[in-house]
């Protein structure tokens, strides 16, 4: 058999140089993504490509505050990505709530629900700062320290417990079935 | 026997490598049109390595895996039938209709896989792709008829040889019309911008590709590279005079020169497609079907009528 570990440097290099972003723009940080992708701060130089499908994505940018309603979608999108996947929290809000520190409806610590590899502070961070975060992410991938996906797999009980505490047990099924009564009855809003 | 196997291996490696370079060229040229720097030219290779090295893969059943392999296999078979300069394994059997047919088979394979994933976006994408496939058949058929009528043969290799004597196909007016129609069709076959309705990034979240991740997408990247190579090669062969060089005395030099000539012609075809893709917005599917059944069909039919006079 071929010893695949021989190819590890090549694979790490390829992972580092072709991170595809899932186009999931939460909050105001979504506005900071187009300047990164266009002519002035072109991030395609590093092989980064915005991609609308979560199945192809590696890098998940959380760009701004996270409400519980968005967090459900974030978790589902995160779990849909195939395994070496990296999360970059962008802005102050995913770190500690930012200016929404006393909001009843904003997540204060994103790291309790999905593992974050690199965080960029700022409100909003300049595109240079995001580039710096991406460089940091590349370094971490090269040295094998970007292991959020491994942590999520190993500490799944912890993350699952926090998610369930927030949303209640069986939230996936309830979210999926949320609109069925509304569709059936006409004007009656679903759960939430 | 060994020689044929070596030839097959060479064509396969050459087609994959050059196809990846073509994908890189498309991305660089698009970036330069946007005044960006763009990725390095070997970026698609890195993407493919990354996709193939994913540690978790999803599958939605047998057809989901089989459709991808079917698409890759059909593309490889298409490449084998097209004369590549003076190298060719099955070039004596490569007639126009067979190659045109084989170049569309991969789309069906991708459709199988996409439909079996059960994702509604993939379903919509598959419907759009099949409608596009239906729409391009009409001008494509007329273009093939014009060629066959003009040269009196369906064999691609004989058409290449006839162009050695009578000049390139696009130098003759009826075939120029056919070439224009075929070039418009090529835009849909590449999945490039005015007619990238089946993929439609942003509009229907990548269409049929939406559910492919990891190794499936890596194989599809390889398939896309070979398909780009095959389609540009077919166009250069039937309309731009192919790559038969007899200037040198040594056959090896002739072969290499032929490959280089073909490469230049293929890149020319590719650049025309990229420029069109960079400046035109996307059509909706009904507009695309109407367009293909109107202008390219009229042009190609005119070409076919003039060629048969």
């Amino acid at each position: 058999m071929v010893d695949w570990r021989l190819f590890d440097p090549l694979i790490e290099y390829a992972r580092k140089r072709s991170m595809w972003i899932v186009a999931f723009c939460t909050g105001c940080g979504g506005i900071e993504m187009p300047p990164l992708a266009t002519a002035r701060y072109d991030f395609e130089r590093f092989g980064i490509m915005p991609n609308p499908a979560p199945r192809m994505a590696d890098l998940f940018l959380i760009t701004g505050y996270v409400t519980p309603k968005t967090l459900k979608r974030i978790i589902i999108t995160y779990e849909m990505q195939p395994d070496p996947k990296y999360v970059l929290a962008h802005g102050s809000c995913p770190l500690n709530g930012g200016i929404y520190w006393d909001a009843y409806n904003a997540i204060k610590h994103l790291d309790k629900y999905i593992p974050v590899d690199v965080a960029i502070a700022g409100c909003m961070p300049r595109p240079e700062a995001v580039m710096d975060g991406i460089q940091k992410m590349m370094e971490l991938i090269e040295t094998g320290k970007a292991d959020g996906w491994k942590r999520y797999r190993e500490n799944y009980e912890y993350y699952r417990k926090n998610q369930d505490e927030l949303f209640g047990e069986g939230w996936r099924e309830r979210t999926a079935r949320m609109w069925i009564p509304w569709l059936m009855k006409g004007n009656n809003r679903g759960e939430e | 026997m060994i020689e044929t196997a070596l030839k097959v291996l060479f064509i396969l490696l050459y087609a994959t490598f050059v196809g990846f370079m073509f994908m890189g060229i498309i991305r660089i040229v698009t970036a330069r049109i946007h005044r960006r720097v763009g990725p390095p030219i070997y970026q698609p290779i890195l993407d493919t390595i990354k996709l193939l090295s994913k540690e978790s893969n999803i599958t939605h059943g047998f057809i989901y895996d089989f459709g991808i392999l079917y698409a890759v296999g059909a593309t490889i078979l298409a490449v084998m039938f097209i004369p590549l300069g003076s190298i060719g394994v099955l070039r004596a059997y490569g007639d126009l209709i067979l190659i045109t047919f084989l170049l569309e088979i991969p789309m069906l394979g991708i459709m199988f896989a996409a439909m079996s994933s059960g994702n509604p976006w993939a379903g919509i994408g598959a419907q759009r792709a099949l409608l596009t496939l239906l729409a391009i058949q009409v001008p494509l058929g007329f273009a093939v008829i014009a060629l066959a009528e003009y040269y009196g043969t369906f064999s691609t290799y004989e058409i290449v040889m006839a162009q050695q004597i009578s000049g390139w196909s696009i130098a003759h007016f009826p075939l120029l019309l056919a070439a224009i129609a075929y070039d418009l069709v090529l835009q849909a076959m590449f999945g490039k911008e005015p007619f990238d309705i089946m993929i439609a990034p942003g509009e229907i979240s990548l269409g049929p590709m939406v559910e492919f991740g990891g190794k499936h997408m890596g194989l599809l990247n390889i398939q896309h590279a070979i398909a780009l190579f095959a389609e540009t090669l077919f166009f250069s062969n039937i309309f731009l005079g192919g790559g038969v060089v007899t200037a040198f005395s040594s056959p090896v030099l002739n072969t290499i020169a032929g490959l280089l000539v073909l490469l230049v012609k293929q890149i020319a075809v590719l650049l025309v497609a990229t420029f069109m893709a960079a400046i035109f917005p996307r059509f909706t599917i009904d507009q695309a079907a109407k367009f293909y059944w109107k202008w390219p069909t009229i042009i190609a039919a005119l070409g076919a009528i003039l060629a048969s006079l």
Side-chain angles (χ1 to χ4, degrees), chain B residues 102-184:
Chain B
L102 279 178
L103 287 178
E104 280 156 16
I105 289 280
M107 192 43 84
L108 290 181
I110 297 171
M111 290 312 104
F112 286 157
M115 290 300 251
S116 73
S117 73
N119 191 316
W121 295 119
I124 292 174
Q127 276 182 353
R128 287 165 166 231
L130 290 178
L131 192 52
T132 318
L133 209 61
L134 192 69
I136 64 174
Q137 297 302 317
V138 188
L140 200 59
F142 277 120
V144 166
I145 289 172
L147 273 169
E149 195 67 51
Y150 193 87
Y151 288 111
T153 173
F154 271 112
S155 161
T156 314
Y157 191 58
E158 278 174 33
I159 286 176
V160 173
M161 282 309 168
Q163 289 178 67
Q164 288 301 111
I165 300 157
S166 63
W168 291 7
S169 291
I170 52 167
H172 313 298
F173 183 65
L175 294 187
L176 177 64
L177 294 181
I180 292 170
Y182 199 101
D183 199 57
L184 290 171

Side-chain angles (χ1 to χ4, degrees), chain A residues 15 18 42 44 55 58 83, chain B residues 36 47 50 53-54 56:
Chain A
R15 278 178 189 164
S18 95
D42 169 30
E44 208 184 354
R55 292 277 189 216
D58 314 291
D83 238 351
Chain B
R36 286 190 283 120
D47 287 349
K50 176 209 64 177
S53 69
K54 286 277 184 193
S56 66

